[in-house]
Amino acid sequence: MLQSRFPFLYKRFKNFTTEGFALAVMEEFVVFTAISLVAIYFDNSLCWNIWFGSFLGLTAHYVVHIGQALVIRRYIPALITSIICLPISALILHHCYTLIDINVWHIIIGLAIVAINMIPALKIAGRSH
């Protein structure tokens, strides 16, 4: 289906496997867990803002997965998890927004970490076959 409707995507993702995607998700989980542990350990505004930015990036990623399913008009494996996690994550973000002394530049660092981390994560997903 991807090859006929979205050939540019097919070229990019044709070597991806379920196992590769699972490894990529695990890699993202390890990075986010490390950011979370650093925020807990150091317990300062900088670390919590970076955590907030990275959590915001992960939450935005749920929107991307939902959008993918809508665009291709088919179920994708991340859809159910994204639908479940999006409202919960939005509530967590809202609550944390009221607790954290927000610094937009530090939040951008967290967002950048998540965005840049997608590069090795996608490489992992494409090499695991």
Side-chain angles (χ1 to χ4, degrees):
M1 187 274 302
L2 276 181
Q3 189 173 13
S4 63
R5 287 184 55 202
F6 305 99
F8 60 97
L9 287 177
Y10 177 76
K11 286 179 188 175
R12 173 73 175 106
F13 296 110
K14 69 180 176 184
N15 293 325
F16 285 34
T17 63
T18 302
E19 294 83 5
F21 273 114
L23 282 172
V25 169
M26 183 194 72
E27 188 269 348
E28 289 179 4
F29 175 75
V30 167
V31 170
F32 182 71
T33 300
I35 292 169
S36 298
L37 291 173
V38 167
I40 291 166
Y41 181 78
F42 289 104
D43 195 22
N44 64 44
S45 182
L46 170 65
C47 292
W48 284 115
N49 273 277
I50 291 172
W51 174 88
F52 187 87
S54 63
F55 194 74
L56 182 63
L58 291 173
T59 302
H61 198 96
Y62 300 141
V63 175
V64 169
H65 286 305
I66 293 167
Q68 288 171 331
L70 291 172
V71 167
I72 66 170
R73 295 185 191 115
R74 291 204 178 183
Y75 173 79
I76 61 169
L79 181 61
I80 299 298
T81 306
S82 296
I83 290 170
I84 292 168
C85 291
L86 181 60
I88 295 165
S89 296
L91 287 172
I92 291 169
L93 284 169
H94 175 70
H95 183 71
C96 290
Y97 181 80
T98 64
L99 297 174
I100 298 172
D101 184 24
I102 297 296
N103 180 314
V104 174
W105 295 110
H106 295 159
I107 290 172
I108 290 171
I109 292 169
L111 282 166
I113 291 169
V114 170
I116 292 167
N117 186 56
M118 290 302 296
I119 296 167
L122 289 174
K123 285 185 180 181
I124 289 169
R127 289 189 184 151
S128 308
H129 60 284

